[in-house]
Amino acid sequence: TEKEEKHVQQLMERGIKSAKAMREKYPNVHIRLGNGAMATKEEFYKNKFPAELFDSAGNEAGTYSSLPEAQPPDWLAGNASLWMDRQLLDAYGYKDKTVTMCHEVCYPATNPGNLDPGTQADYFVRHALHALAWGLPEFRPGIITDVGGNYRNGFWGSSGFCRARPEYNVKPSFVAFATMTLVLDGAQFVRVVPTPSASLYAMELKRPDGGQVYALWTIHGQRSVKLQTKKDAAWKLIDGQANEVALKTTDGLIE
């Protein structure tokens, strides 16, 4: 409507004025355009927000209880919304701009009626793996502890890696994220490994010491997996809680 168009122009004027002020005061500041709904970002792109006044599309995917592997048009899901941000930038002529995550992203929560602690742990790790695959420079998921007040019953307040005061005892997600950090510290994403199942996922990553890591997971249930490798190769399986098992290789196959 005419009223909405006027509002968009006001937002554009304020955005340009603010960005120019930031550039002048802090020449090296990284300006993320977005940090909100896709439709709002699209209006800025469509109205040709000056490319020199922002550095990246700012993604703020709450994720909540969405599957990490959720597909568009779920713009609250991490992987899906990152893809949608990329499409918007390309469609409106900002192909040289990257997509980055803002401060408030990724809140898989364990409040009543939401995710159980084990699923929260799985979701945190899978969201992080997607962030690695997208080449994101920063990923700031969850909160350190559940909050102490009634806010804990909402989506954000119970997304801690530890439970609330006075105990602060750790959830499975604390151990799972620490395990992932230990295994993938400094690792670089190589590729998504094709699998014959729509619910079995595999990623290949390269460690700084030259070692290979494969991250494997399913959306639900269990899958039997066979990996072809060198006959004398030594591999181990590390689960989300840091339990390690040496894998037996038979004629170059690991099952």
Side-chain angles (χ1 to χ4, degrees):
T1 65
E2 187 178 334
K3 183 180 178 181
E4 289 170 332
E5 286 293 340
K6 186 179 179 181
H7 182 55
V8 168
Q9 289 307 314
Q10 288 175 340
L11 291 175
M12 283 285 291
E13 289 168 11
R14 292 173 191 167
I16 290 170
K17 183 179 179 181
S18 298
K20 284 182 175 178
M22 282 190 278
R23 281 276 187 261
E24 185 178 345
K25 181 82 172 174
Y26 305 104
N28 297 321
V29 70
H30 184 109
I31 299 176
R32 292 171 169 84
L33 183 63
N35 200 29
M38 292 286 170
T40 307
K41 280 186 263 195
E42 185 170 14
E43 288 301 319
F44 278 96
Y45 300 148
K46 191 162 58 176
N47 284 275
K48 299 186 174 13
F49 192 86
E52 67 274 13
L53 293 181
F54 78 103
D55 300 290
S56 65
N59 179 283
E60 191 182 45
T63 71
Y64 307 130
S65 57
S66 292
L67 274 171
E69 297 74 31
Q71 299 295 299
D74 185 353
W75 66 272
L76 284 175
N79 182 56
S81 67
L82 288 166
W83 183 86
M84 292 163 75
D85 267 324
R86 182 73 264 158
Q87 304 311 304
L88 286 175
L89 286 171
D90 292 349
Y92 288 103
Y94 300 99
K95 292 187 177 182
D96 60 328
K97 300 296 181 183
T98 59
V99 180
T100 58
M101 279 187 159
C102 297
H103 180 62
E104 290 196 281
V105 296
C106 196
Y107 291 97
T110 57
N111 55 306
N114 208 333
L115 304 176
D116 65 84
T119 302
Q120 183 204 41
D122 292 342
Y123 278 22
F124 268 133
V125 170
R126 281 150 58 182
H127 282 304
L129 286 167
H130 283 126
L132 276 174
W134 278 101
L136 296 174
E138 302 104 13
F139 177 54
R140 309 176 182 92
I143 52 180
I144 296 173
T145 71
D146 289 352
V147 301
N150 197 45
Y151 193 55
R152 188 165 71 251
N153 293 322
F155 275 122
W156 297 270
S158 58
S159 57
F161 289 93
C162 303
R163 292 183 172 83
R165 63 182 183 189
E167 295 185 1
Y168 296 131
N169 49 329
V170 302
K171 298 181 189 177
S173 57
F174 183 100
V175 182
F177 220 72
T179 301
M180 182 193 67
T181 304
L182 178 70
V183 175
L184 299 183
D185 186 23
Q188 294 292 316
F189 171 77
V190 177
R191 63 176 178 136
V192 172
V193 182
T195 74
S197 168
S199 60
L200 172 64
Y201 289 79
M203 281 186 188
E204 181 183 349
L205 302 108
K206 198 81 171 177
R207 287 169 52 92
D209 60 8
Q212 281 178 296
V213 179
Y214 288 92
L216 301 153
W217 73 93
T218 61
I219 294 178
H220 55 78
Q222 293 180 326
R223 298 289 182 276
S224 178
V225 178
K226 286 184 179 178
L227 302 173
Q228 182 110 33
T229 184
K230 295 176 182 177
K231 287 189 177 182
D232 58 346
W235 289 85
K236 59 184 176 183
L237 177 68
I238 304 173
D239 69 13
Q241 297 298 296
N243 299 303
E244 295 188 14
V245 178
L247 295 174
K248 184 181 178 183
T249 306
T250 305
D251 296 326
L253 276 178
I254 299 171
E255 186 169 3

